[in-house]
Amino acid sequence: MPSSGNYQKELAKKQQRVESLLEGLVSSIEPIIGADDPYHYRNKVHAAVGVQKGRIIAGTYEPGTHRIIEGGGNELENESAAEVIRDIVSIANRYHMSVYNEKTGQGLLRRILVRTADGTGQMLVVLVLGDYMFPGKKNFVKTLIGKHPEITSIVLNINRRTDSMILGDKSETVYGPGFIVDTLLGKKFSISAESFYQVNRAQAQKLYSKAIEYASLSKSDLVLDAYCGTGTIGICMSDHCRSVTGVELNPKAVSDAGHNIRKNNATNVKVVKADATKYMNENAASGMFDVVVLDPPREGTTPEFIKACAKISPSRIVYVSCNPDTLARDLKLFAGEGYKAVKACPVDMFSGTEHVETVCLLSK
Ligand code: SAH
């Protein structure tokens, strides 16, 4: 956990890590963009529910075990979400609610997931249940809303799985629309129980602003947003360019992206469901993008993607990376294809952890 003096040390360490990994690969590295508040940024808070000494408790699993540590006391989590979880537990105790038992597969309340939209103040509560039958459901919802009117939606998710997945496939909305809406750089994004969404909104806005700055877009630019998730980067860029094509493999993210495009009336954005490398290969001869943005998972991108990208021959490439090791590896391959990394900027998206995000601009 960061304490304020330690936070400066944490930032310095992250800066140094990025600098040493990218040494010789990038012409200049800007100072890391730190968080104004390194605590309580996580807008997605999850707790496992169990029974201890006859009382219902919620918290995180002790690492490597299935023993729940009550509360968890996580300094990185949104405080209102943590408070809602505590109150759900006390209502569950008052109603003597049935709790799911991992050994027998019987019982009801399994987990609690709370998502907050810090830009709009909306809050989504997901109660993960081991059974469809929830006696006293109406009263439970009424009591919870009475205590926390800031909750804008409640969803019951049925999870009978025996693996460690938090959510099952079936959901029922029992209050509100079943999702919340947040804003990033003035654009609106829907967040449901399952949607992928950046967990640190304040820093995500700084990251996207840096990516937009590096892209130095003009109204005639055709932009490719590879590994686009729910379309957030592309939609935030869409006012500054002619069009954006997003490419994303996960079908749920693609359908969320479609929803977000409509919500923002971003008529110059479309999202294609495809493997990013396959898409690049199929379009390698077309040369139809001025700017390529890529934001791959921790494994980075592929050598084939990089080769095909060079054939498309964009004038700028903006690489948003959540892993400086794979970024360094990929920058070497880009250099081999004639793309030089001009500048890079680390962004602290996950204070209190080892992770560091980096935005990098490459040009021919
Ligand atoms: N740019 C988005 C999401 C980045 S996370 C944002 O800022 O929110 C990386 C995304 O890459 C995930 O949505 C994941 O589903 C997607 N992905 C992973 N492998 C992929 C592949 N081979 N082709 C296309 N997308 C892929």
Side-chain angles (χ1 to χ4, degrees), residues 196 198 208 227-229 232-233 247-250 274-276 295-297:
F196 174 83
Q198 296 281 356
Y208 290 0
Y227 307 92
C228 72
T232 41
I233 296 180
V247 181
E248 166 61 45
L249 192 56
N250 180 328
D275 169 66
D295 183 9

Side-chain angles (χ1 to χ4, degrees), residues 40 88 91 97 149 180 195 201 212 251 266 313 337 339 357:
H40 305 299
I88 290 173
I91 298 168
M97 195 172 170
I180 51 175
S195 317
R201 174 178 178 270
I212 294 171
S313 187
E337 300 295 332
Y339 278 89
E357 201 97 0

Side-chain angles (χ1 to χ4, degrees), residues 184 196-198 204 207-208 225-234 247-251 253 272-278 293-300 302 305 320 322 349 357:
L184 288 172
F196 174 83
Y197 187 66
Q198 296 281 356
L207 178 78
Y208 290 0
D225 180 12
Y227 307 92
C228 72
T230 59
T232 41
I233 296 180
V247 181
E248 166 61 45
L249 192 56
N250 180 328
V272 180
K273 189 202 152 308
D275 169 66
T277 299
K278 203 158 169 260
V293 178
L294 69 154
D295 183 9
R298 293 186 56 72
E299 311 85 74
T302 64
F305 179 104
V320 179
C322 55
M349 300 285 284
E357 201 97 0

Side-chain angles (χ1 to χ4, degrees), residues 13-31:
K13 202 168 147 202
K14 288 177 177 178
Q15 177 81 16
Q16 206 194 346
R17 175 159 172 241
V18 171
E19 280 179 6
S20 72
L21 283 167
L22 302 188
E23 200 186 329
L25 293 169
V26 183
S27 310
S28 92
I29 299 178
E30 297 189 66

Side-chain angles (χ1 to χ4, degrees), residues 84-140:
V84 165
I85 290 176
R86 283 194 292 278
D87 285 331
I88 290 173
V89 169
S90 76
I91 298 168
N93 270 309
R94 200 170 343 130
Y95 287 6
H96 303 290
M97 195 172 170
S98 146
V99 167
Y100 183 80
N101 181 318
E102 285 199 320
K103 290 201 185 87
T104 63
Q106 304 288 311
L108 196 59
L109 186 58
R110 249 187 122 162
R111 297 162 196 270
I112 304 163
L113 174 69
V114 178
R115 306 191 75 166
T116 58
D118 300 331
T120 59
Q122 298 182 6
M123 185 184 273
L124 170 68
V125 171
V126 184
L127 300 176
V128 182
L129 308 176
D131 200 337
Y132 290 91
M133 295 299 288
F134 182 178
K137 172 168 81 183
K138 278 203 176 117
N139 269 337
F140 192 97

